[in-house]
Amino acid sequence: LGRSDHADLSKRLLEQATEMLWAPSETFGRKKTILTQIRPDGNYQPPPCFCFDFNACSCDPIQDDERLEDYNVDSRVDDFIKQALDYSAEILGEDIMFLMGSDFQWDNADVWFKNLDKLIHYVNKDPRVNVFYSSPDEYFAQKRSANLTFPSKTDDFFPYSDGFQAYWGGYFTSRPSQKHYVFLMTSFLQSARQMEYFLGESLAGSDALDKLDAAVSVLMHHDAITGTAKQAVADDYAKRLYEGSVEAAAVLNQGFKQVVERSAQQTSGNLIVPPLVPSDEDGASSGNDFVQCRLLNVSSCEFTEVSSKVKQNMQVVVYNNLAQPRSDHVHLPIAALTSEVAVFDGQMKPVASQITALSSVVGVGGEEMADLGFDVAVPPKGMAAYYVMFTNIPANGIMAKRATSQPVSRNVTSVQLGGSKVVLTFDGASGMMSHFENKANGVAMNASVGFKVYNSSANDGQNSGAYIFRPDARNPTLPLLEQPLDLTLVQGPVFSEMKQTFAPWVSLTTRVYASEDWVELLWSVGPIPFADGWGKEVSLRISSQVGSGKTFYTDSNGREMLKRIVNYRPTWNLDVSEPVSGNYYPLTAALAVRDEQAEMSVLLDRACGGSSLNSGELEYMIHRRILWDDDRGVAEALNETECGCRFCDCAGLKVTGRNFLVLDELEAAAQKRRTLQQKKQEPLVVAFRAVDATEIVTPMAGLSDGGLPENVNLMTFHALNATSVLVRFAHMYQAGESKSFSTSATVDMSHLFPGKTISAMEEVSLSANQKLSDLACCEVKVDPMQVRTFIVTTKAAVPDAGAGAGAGAEGEGEGGARRYLTPLRRAARFFQRLL
């Protein structure tokens, strides 16, 4: 029930095709078909002048007192019936539906219902129509029973425009920092829910995650995540997310502390953690608390910076919210003058690490900072501990190596970046990347990465704005630099990178890890200047020799990859009025081009808009700063600044991001893309605390038996009460995407509940409010692109004789050193401490 492109709508009105059977999934085909409707008025709103919010609508109420001069029942009834009959002529069948309300309406429900009751009463005295209160569910049930033949539709509704110059592609990217914040907090909430279950807090009715839960939910509003709210509202959204994240971080930090101290008792293997909480007198509260750093994305963390200066050893815990084992990378800011530092895992085995100068980052007290980077391995839905040591370093330690940094002369024909798996070639004369080789899979081709800056249309027809993306028709793009780029090559044992500065406000670092066969793009844009009077919309553009022609692929909410064709619509002949914005599509996870041999894809860290305007290209927008409103409801320009004010003496907002770039052979590309997509969507949670001594800390796994199948994502794990948990599985591959992974997967539900026994399982609807069926324990099958939701009821497992806490048994652990409290006893202990 919504909008469609204005050209599509016009065609459908002529053909009585505004209602259709929509089967948008290539995987499910006709098995998943929705009877839906494009609103014939092009929007969701009441019929003209039947809005009854009189402070916002200039329409008369229904006056049925004949003694008064403004009596209007007859005219209002005639107007309503005329509109109903006109509407009926545009759709199939005898039933129509009016949506009585829209944005910013229903301030006074009493006035609305008083007028609707009058309208129904008087209109039903005319035999031409019958009017009654209804719902979309009842309406479409009636349509399905009317024996009508509806047209079908298999593509989606993007791009959307409400005029030839008005493509709603700007909101795909608007407020990119807010989109990234929502992206992070959505994953952070899921991680905290998992830890809450481990702690048992949810079993005691905890509300510690309610604030973040509510904030993330509110940010899903169609004027929130889209970036189409006013600046003051966007500020409030950010405040809500922050306040919720503080309480969620406390849950995670508490869990890290208790699990680390418990796992220190086990000396080998992965610890399987059931939802049990040690009592206070057992030492759970001893030692320092963990802290998290919210600005690690910009290499800022006061705790790690100060620790490195005073040579305070640190314990670092890394939490993996994925249901599969994970290898990844951690980066911590430390003082640049740090002389000695070594990293160890929780078993006190040395880990190679690297110190890289951060020339543009200033730490606490104004000192120069450096980046300490190292590789980590984390169990599924679990955590691992590492030690960063500045003093008393064991003899077997591997001292962190300092990366070398040197400018690249323009006289150098080519310089290579990479190692055994990926090699990138840069041209010294131009400063641009020229070649990409994936040595691991034998794929190589010319490729480059750069930026494109679009000048926003202003005062020439349709303006660009929070909703609309429209480059200026006469001067669509702005050159960044006329001279060649300066290159700086950084080389080290963990990763190497090339730094490029395209403008004083646009830079790119291209990073290659020694252990990976993909590339990380670290971009920084801002403050976007506007002294020239132009709003600017910045896209990152990757060019390659992939022979994709006019075809490219975009994700649909992180699920199926949808085929797109430049300047083409499957259901009508497109009149190309905006060659750039008319080909921009929404992206939430990935953008890809492919030919018969290879695929190149980029994995995103936030929602944005993107396209492939030329063969082999990937282009996606990363920042926007616009000086004019586009007249779609925000009523203010999209002008974000560092201060939060819109028109003031303050620099524009600076935005940074990290994307993965993958070039792979076609058959293997889907697996690599889907795996990295999951890593992007579920970033690691990293926390720190000071330690004066080290102890063996066994990795903690939240799932037994090594985790879920590689093609299944544990989308939701949420304790509903003391015994019931909401579990949602999502198959990550679509039909035909991969020979190896586009297959059905079987999940043993018992692996999610170590230390527990499943007493009941029921499958419910996606929204978990309708029961579908009862199931026998414990295996369930998940087909490609399928999402299945369950409510699982558990009870405490009966421990085997002699079972210890390390095996997930409830009760005393090894040597009786641990005791666990029931929720009632924990509550009593809490109030005892309080008194």
Side-chain angles (χ1 to χ4, degrees), residues 141-290:
Q142 179 63 26
K143 283 287 187 174
R144 284 187 177 275
S145 66
N147 198 28
L148 300 169
T149 301
F150 294 100
S152 61
K153 179 178 175 66
T154 57
D155 59 314
D156 63 2
F157 292 92
F158 291 108
Y160 165 71
S161 69
D162 61 11
F164 285 105
Q165 297 178 333
Y167 279 91
W168 291 41
Y171 77 82
F172 301 158
T173 303
S174 295
R175 300 195 188 280
S177 58
Q178 175 183 275
K179 284 179 166 63
H180 184 52
Y181 201 11
V182 177
F183 190 99
L184 293 176
M185 290 300 101
T186 301
S187 173
F188 198 64
L189 174 62
Q190 297 302 325
S191 297
R193 281 176 172 169
Q194 182 85 41
M195 188 59 70
E196 186 181 53
Y197 175 79
F198 291 154
L199 286 169
E201 288 300 315
S202 57
L203 312 184
S206 169
D207 60 358
L209 302 183
D210 286 1
K211 275 190 177 182
L212 185 57
D213 197 346
V216 168
S217 299
V218 167
L219 263 292
M220 294 301 105
H221 184 270
H222 69 200
D223 280 319
I225 185 65
T226 54
T228 53
K230 292 181 183 292
Q231 183 64 53
V233 180
D235 293 342
D236 182 66
Y237 288 147
K239 179 183 177 184
R240 290 170 183 265
L241 287 172
Y242 170 76
E243 291 176 343
S245 72
V246 170
E247 296 190 3
V251 171
L252 282 160
N253 292 339
Q254 178 189 359
F256 293 153
K257 182 177 181 180
Q258 293 188 4
V259 173
V260 164
E261 293 175 355
R262 176 183 169 192
S263 66
Q265 295 186 350
Q266 180 171 317
T267 58
S268 64
N270 281 354
L271 177 69
I272 306 299
V273 177
L276 304 170
V277 181
S279 62
D280 290 341
E281 61 262 40
D282 289 331
S285 62
S286 62
N288 296 321
D289 292 333
F290 281 97

Side-chain angles (χ1 to χ4, degrees), residues 288-358:
N288 296 321
D289 292 333
F290 281 97
V291 299
Q292 295 180 39
C293 292
R294 304 177 185 279
L295 299 177
L296 280 179
N297 64 314
V298 291
S299 301
S300 176
C301 177
E302 182 176 358
F303 181 87
T304 62
E305 294 170 18
V306 173
S307 295
S308 65
K309 292 177 187 176
V310 300
K311 298 187 182 302
Q312 171 63 61
N313 293 339
M314 296 184 294
Q315 187 179 61
V316 182
V317 295
V318 184
Y319 180 77
N320 168 31
N321 197 38
L322 296 180
Q324 293 81 22
R326 174 178 189 164
S327 61
D328 215 315
H329 315 279
V330 168
H331 294 268
L332 312 176
I334 62 174
L337 297 179
T338 302
S339 57
E340 291 186 343
V341 59
V343 178
F344 297 82
D345 67 11
Q347 310 291 317
M348 290 307 295
K349 296 178 181 178
V351 176
S353 58
Q354 173 178 325
I355 299 175
T356 308
L358 295 171

Side-chain angles (χ1 to χ4, degrees), residues 450-457 464 469-481 502-507 524-530 532-541 580 584 613 619-626:
F451 295 87
K452 197 163 190 176
V453 180
Y454 293 102
N455 284 329
S456 305
S457 177
S464 257
F469 166 40
R470 185 187 176 219
D472 182 73
R474 295 163 297 180
N475 188 24
T477 61
L478 171 74
L480 280 173
L481 285 178
F502 289 78
W505 52 280
V506 179
S507 63
S524 175
V525 176
I528 297 178
F530 60 71
D532 55 5
W534 288 102
K536 297 174 182 65
E537 306 174 63
V538 184
S539 291
L540 195 150
R541 184 176 61 178
V580 177
Y584 256 61
L613 300 176
E619 176 179 317
Y620 54 103
M621 189 172 291
I622 53 179
H623 200 2
R624 316 176 74 219
R625 190 184 188 191
I626 303 171

Side-chain angles (χ1 to χ4, degrees), residues 434-454:
S434 59
H435 195 262
F436 189 135
E437 180 183 6
N438 184 335
K439 299 173 70 174
N441 284 298
V443 181
M445 64 181 62
N446 292 337
S448 65
V449 182
F451 295 87
K452 197 163 190 176
V453 180
Y454 293 102

